[in-house]
Amino acid sequence: MLALEFPPLSHIVNWPGFVGEGEIWEINKVVVIYGFAVLFTLLLFWLGGRKKELVPTGAQNLAEIAVEFIEDGIVMDTMGKEGLKYTPYLMSLFFFIFFTNIFEVIPFFQMPASARIALPLLLALLSYVIYHGAGFKSHGLGYFKHALVPPGVPVFLLPLVMLIEFVSKFLVQPFSHTVRLFANLLAGHILLVTFAVLTSGLVVAKWYAIFAPLPLIGVIFFTAFEVFVSFLQAYVFTLLTGVYINAAQSHEH
Amino acid sequence: MLLAEISNKGLAALTYGLGAIGPGIGIGYLVGQAVQAMARQPEAAGMVRTTMFLGIAFVEALALIGFVVFFLAGA
């Protein structure tokens, strides 16, 4: 029979440290990926902004497309003109998440750093502070009324509605924001591991080896799909941050 | 008793399958409607697409929470 054994979850997301095993500053694969993601994000905009030419070429071209994409596709769509001051934050958020995600399909790394909950949680909490901060800045203490009391609610329903709004806006929102990024990338990672394990298990299994191309096609197809997912999840995370900021600071009701 | 023989892992997998039905229907309906809207009014496609992804993100959260619970319960 086939000697197939799926590795336990801890084996595919936990990595031994290169240096400082067990210390608080332990450097393992995930930390290296964070480093690369920061480096790539900085490099893209440093190269793009180094020479400001009227007719952009190379890296400047790429950086300008990126800025336009975030400005038109996310900021203007969700917040309009008053959201433009948040463009730098959303931009670095998008590219940092995208670069940490894309390591899922880069050979020798093949680990999305967002599949450890620490990073999504940190970014979601950072966004949490920023959008509620924007709300308090825009409304003062009236922000609680703005956030908890939707217009046109009958008075006798008010306590219930306020409770629901409080739980959803202050407790569930950062949680779902975190889990969305984390679980998507974890699921993708597990999917790729499943097909890779199946392929390698079939290759060494006598005549069953003729079926090995089938999961191999799966690996190739899902690798392409995961590139799309990495992009989409970075986009969705940034888009939702924009939507939350807009909901917190907008004055129309 | 049959239910007693099913392991915790099997039960977790089964429950996740049940939990995926709702978001599956939801996303299918959502994207179908969005495609219809884009076909009727191609000039509004950009706006519809942004809203569609937003809606997908909200619906998908339910399935993903189920996915996380699946690992917590199955471990």
Side-chain angles (χ1 to χ4, degrees), chain B residues 9-75:
Chain B
K9 267 185 184 162
L11 208 59
L14 188 71
T15 316
Y16 173 62
L18 289 175
I21 296 174
I25 295 172
I27 292 182
Y29 186 73
L30 203 157
V31 176
Q33 294 289 313
V35 167
Q36 212 169 58
M38 283 188 235
R40 284 186 186 193
Q41 214 153 5
E43 63 268 30
M47 201 190 71
V48 173
R49 198 174 297 118
T50 312
T51 319
M52 180 186 81
F53 278 127
L54 210 64
I56 290 177
F58 282 123
V59 176
E60 200 187 36
L62 297 172
L64 290 171
I65 289 168
F67 177 75
V68 172
V69 170
F70 160 66
F71 277 110
L72 293 179

Side-chain angles (χ1 to χ4, degrees), chain A residues 16 38 48 53 62 86-87 110 114 141 153 159 187 191 212 215 220 233:
Chain A
V38 172
E53 285 168 28
L62 198 66
Y86 292 103
T87 310
Q110 288 176 317
S114 322
L141 277 180
V153 178
L191 203 64
I220 295 168
Q233 288 311 315

